[in-house]
C-alpha cells in the first residue's frame, strides 16, 4: 500500500494539484481543521501537509491544531508573500518539519514528504533501540570527570574495597558499575544494595540470608544478597544508613570473608569485591559516633569522589543531548533539540540535584515542550521575561504597601498607635513596616524596646 498523507487544503484546485503531484502517495484531503481532526481520530497518519490559506484560520489556530496533533510530522505550503506575516515564521520554525512555497514543485514536495515519513518511522523505532539502555558509560570531557575515569581505571585493576563519596544524584552507582565492568569480575554478578531502603528489621536476613525455621515464617532456606554476589561485586549504597548493630556484622564479613545465615552455625565463604558509597562524609559520621571507625577504615582503602554536576560545566551540553536521545520515546516527533536560550539556562543553573535533576528536567521538557525546540520554560526555568515580570510584581507590591502606610500615617496625624489600629497590626509590627520603608512617624512616637502583653492589648 502507498504511504498515507493527510492534506489540509481549502481550495479545490489546489487539492487536485496535490493529488496529481503526490501520485505515489495515498492522499486524503480535507478542507478544514475540524475535518482533519476527525480524520486523525479515525486513521493513523505519521505525516501531514497543509496549504496556508486565510480560510483555514490565523496562525494561532494553526498552532493550536499542530500542538494537539504533534505526533504527526507536518509540512506547510505557503505563498511567498505570507511567509513574513501573521506569525508564520515562528510557526514554521517551532512546529513544522519543513515548508514549501507556491507554486507546488511535485518533485521537491515528494522528496520532502518522503524524508519526513522516513524520519517519523525512525523515531518510532528509536524507543526499542534505546529502551533500558540508560547511562551506560560515564560521559564527559571536563577535568573532573576525566580524573574520575582515571581513578576508576586504577581501582578496577585491584580487588581492594572502594569507598565512593558524592552528593545525591551524582551517579555513584554508575561509578561502581564502571569499576565492576573494567575489573576481572566483569562476567560475574553485580549486586547493588541500598542500605537505607531496607527496613531495619529485615536488613539482617536480607544481607546474610536465613535457614528454614530461623524465625516464624521462615519456611525455606534463603540466600542473602551478600552470598548472591559470590564471585562478583557487592555495591553497598548509602552505607552510612546501615544500623550500628549490623556494622559489626559487616566488619566481621570484611575481615573473615565468610557469612553466617540466621539460624545457622555454619560459616559460608564468600568471595566478593566490596564497593560502598555514601552522600554523607563518613569521617564526619565517625567523629560524631554514628559510624564505626574500624569499619570506615576497612571500606575506604581506595577512596573515590564523584564530582557534582556544577563542577562539570563543560559536560552539561553533552549530557543534556545524551538524555534527549536516551529518553526520546517520551518526546513528540516534531521536537528536534534545545534552543540557545535553553542551553544557556542549563549552563547557568547550579544543579543542586546533580545528574538526577538534569534527567528529571530533560524528561519533563520532552513531554511538555510545544515547539520544535526545548525552551527554558520547558525545563522548569523561568524565562528572563518571567523573571522581569516577577521583579516588577514585587516592586509594585512594595510601592503599594509604602503608599498605604504613608496615607494611613497622614490620616492618623502621624500617630503610630492610631495608624496601627486602623491597619489592624500591632505597634511593634507598625514600627517594623516603617523601618522597612524608611518612613518616620511623629517625633514623640518612639518604639519601646520591651512591651508587656497588657500594654500591647491596650493599643486596641
Amino acid at each position: 500500500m502507498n504511504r498515507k498523507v493527510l492534506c489540509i487544503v481549502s481550495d479545490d484546485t489546489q487539492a487536485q494539484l496535490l493529488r496529481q503531484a503526490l501520485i505515489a502517495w495515498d492522499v486524503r484531503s480535507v478542507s478544514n481543521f475540524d475535518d482533519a481532526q476527525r480524520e486523525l481520530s479515525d486513521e493513523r497518519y505519521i505525516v501531514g501537509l497543509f496549504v496556508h490559506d486565510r480560510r483555514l484560520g490565523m496562525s494561532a489556530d494553526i498552532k493550536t491544531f499542530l500542538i494537539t496533533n504533534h505526533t504527526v510530522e507536518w509540512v506547510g505550503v505557503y505563498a511567498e508573500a505570507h511567509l513574513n506575516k501573521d506569525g508564520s515564521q515562528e510557526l514554521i520554525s517551532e512546529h513544522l518539519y519543513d515548508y514549501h512555497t507556491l507554486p507546488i514543485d511535485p518533485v521537491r514536495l515528494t522528496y520532502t514528504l518522503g524524508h519526513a515519513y522516513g524520519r517519523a518511522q525512525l523515531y518510532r523505532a528509536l524507543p526499542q533501540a534505546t529502551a533500558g539502555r540508560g547511562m551506560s558509560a560515564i560521559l564527559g570531557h571536563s577535568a573532573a570527570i576525566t580524573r574520575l575515569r582515571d581513578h576508576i581505571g586504577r581501582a578496577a585493576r585491584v580487588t581492594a574495597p572502594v569507598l565512593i563519596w558524592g552528593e545525591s544524584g551524582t551517579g555513584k552507582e554508575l561509578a561502581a558499575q564502571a569499576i565492576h565492568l573494567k575489573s576481572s569480575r566483569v562476567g560475574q554478578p553485580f549486586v547493588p544494595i541500598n542500605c537505607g531502603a531496607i527496613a531495619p528489621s529485615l536488613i539482617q536476613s536480607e544481607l546474610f540470608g536465613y535457614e528454614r525455621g530461623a524465625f516464624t515464617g521462615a519456611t525455606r532456606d534463603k540466600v542473602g544478597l551478600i552470598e548472591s554476589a559470590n564471585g562478583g561485586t557487592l555495591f553497598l549504597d548509602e552505607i552510612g544508613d546501615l544500623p550500628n548493630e549490623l556494622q559489626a556484622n559487616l566488619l566481621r564479613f570484611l575481615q573473615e570473608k565468610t557469612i553466617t545465615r540466621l539460624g545457622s552455625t555454619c560459616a559460608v565463604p564468600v568471595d566478593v569485591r566490596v564497593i560502598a558509597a555514601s552522600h554523607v562524609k563518613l569521617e564526619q559520621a565517625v567523629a560524631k559516633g554514628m559510624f564505626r571507625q574500624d569499619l570506615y577504615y576497612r571500606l575506604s582503602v581506595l577512596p573515590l569522589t564523584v564530582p557534582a554536576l556544577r563542577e562539570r560545566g563543560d559536560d552539561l551540553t553533552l549530557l543534556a543531548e545524551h538524555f534527549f536521545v536516551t529518553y526520546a520515546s517520551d518526546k513528540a516527533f516534531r521536537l528536534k533539540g534545545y534552543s540557545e536560550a535553553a542551553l544557556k539556562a542549563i549552563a547557568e543553573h547550579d544543579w543542586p540535584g546533580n545528574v538526577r535533576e538534569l534527567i528529571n528536567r530533560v524528561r519533563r521538557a520532552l513531554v511538555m515542550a510545544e515547539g520544535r525546540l526545548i525552551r527554558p520554560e520547558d525545563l522548569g526555568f523561568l524565562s528572563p521575561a518571567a523573571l522581569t515580570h516577577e521583579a516588577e510584581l514585587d516592586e509594585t507590591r512594595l510601592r503599594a504597601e509604602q503608599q498605604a502606610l504613608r496615607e494611613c500615617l497622614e490620616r492618623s496625624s502621624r500617630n503610630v498607635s492610631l495608624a496601627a489600629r486602623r491597619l489592624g497590626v500591632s505597634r511593634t509590627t507598625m514600627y517594623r513596616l516603617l523601618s522597612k520603608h524608611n518612613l518616620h512617624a511623629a517625633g514623640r512616637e518612639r518604639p519601646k524596646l520591651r512591651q508587656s502583653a497588657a500594654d500591647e492589648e491596650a493599643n486596641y
Side-chain angles (χ1 to χ4, degrees), residues 180-181 183-191 228-233 271-272:
H180 174 73
L181 292 173
S183 74
S184 59
R185 298 173 181 260
V186 60
Q188 301 302 317
F190 176 86
V191 179
S228 70
N230 191 32
T233 301
D271 172 28
V272 298

Side-chain angles (χ1 to χ4, degrees), residues 356-376:
R356 188 179 294 124
E357 180 188 354
L358 177 59
I359 294 173
N360 176 281
R361 289 183 181 273
V362 170
R363 295 194 70 177
R364 176 198 307 167
L366 290 174
V367 175
M368 303 305 294
E370 295 182 348
R372 292 172 64 84
L373 297 174
I374 290 174
R375 301 169 300 166

Side-chain angles (χ1 to χ4, degrees), residues 343-354:
L343 292 175
K344 185 173 184 292
I346 289 172
E348 293 177 349
H349 186 55
D350 196 42
W351 298 107
N354 293 294

Side-chain angles (χ1 to χ4, degrees), residues 314-391:
D314 296 341
D315 298 333
L316 283 168
T317 299
L318 175 65
L319 289 171
E321 296 287 357
H322 171 74
F323 295 130
F324 183 94
V325 174
T326 300
Y327 299 103
S329 58
D330 295 341
K331 79 179 187 67
F333 301 132
R334 73 186 184 288
L335 195 60
K336 306 306 178 188
Y338 298 90
S339 66
E340 289 298 325
L343 292 175
K344 185 173 184 292
I346 289 172
E348 293 177 349
H349 186 55
D350 196 42
W351 298 107
N354 293 294
V355 178
R356 188 179 294 124
E357 180 188 354
L358 177 59
I359 294 173
N360 176 281
R361 289 183 181 273
V362 170
R363 295 194 70 177
R364 176 198 307 167
L366 290 174
V367 175
M368 303 305 294
E370 295 182 348
R372 292 172 64 84
L373 297 174
I374 290 174
R375 301 169 300 166
E377 302 93 305
D378 302 324
L379 291 161
F381 299 129
L382 285 176
S383 65
L387 288 171
T388 301
H389 293 328
E390 186 175 334

Side-chain angles (χ1 to χ4, degrees), residues 181-221:
L181 292 173
K182 288 178 175 292
S183 74
S184 59
R185 298 173 181 260
V186 60
Q188 301 302 317
F190 176 86
V191 179
I193 302 171
N194 190 326
C195 299
I198 304 176
S201 59
L202 298 177
I203 195 167
Q204 173 83 16
S205 59
E206 289 293 322
L207 289 179
F208 296 95
Y210 55 80
E211 298 286 321
R212 185 177 62 179
F215 50 85
T216 302
T219 58
R220 58 180 178 83
D221 295 347

Side-chain angles (χ1 to χ4, degrees), residues 4-9 26-50 61-75 117 120 124 333:
K4 294 193 304 181
V5 58
L6 177 63
C7 296
I8 309 171
V9 51
D26 180 6
V27 178
R28 170 70 169 122
S29 60
V30 294
S31 60
N32 55 67
F33 288 130
D34 290 337
D35 290 343
Q37 194 64 63
R38 282 190 287 270
E39 181 68 19
L40 288 167
S41 300
D42 295 336
E43 296 288 338
R44 179 175 174 268
Y45 294 85
I46 62 175
V47 292
L49 177 148
F50 70 87
D61 302 318
I62 301 175
K63 179 180 178 180
T64 300
F65 174 81
L66 296 179
I67 290 173
T68 303
N69 300 284
H70 61 262
T71 57
V72 179
E73 291 279 9
W74 292 99
V75 174
Y117 191 92
R124 276 172 164 73
F333 301 132

Side-chain angles (χ1 to χ4, degrees), residues 388-435:
T388 301
H389 293 328
E390 186 175 334
E392 291 174 350
L393 181 61
D394 288 342
E395 185 178 345
T396 301
R397 189 183 295 115
L398 286 171
R399 284 200 303 267
E401 189 177 79
Q402 186 182 65
Q403 184 64 23
L405 286 169
R406 184 179 288 111
E407 291 177 356
C408 188
L409 278 174
E410 293 299 328
R411 291 197 306 270
S412 305
S413 300
R414 308 195 71 77
N415 184 296
V416 174
S417 297
L418 181 57
R421 283 198 296 272
R422 287 178 170 174
L423 289 174
V425 299
S426 69
R427 195 167 65 170
T428 303
T429 299
M430 187 67 180
Y431 276 116
R432 187 163 55 248
L433 290 171
L434 293 175
S435 176

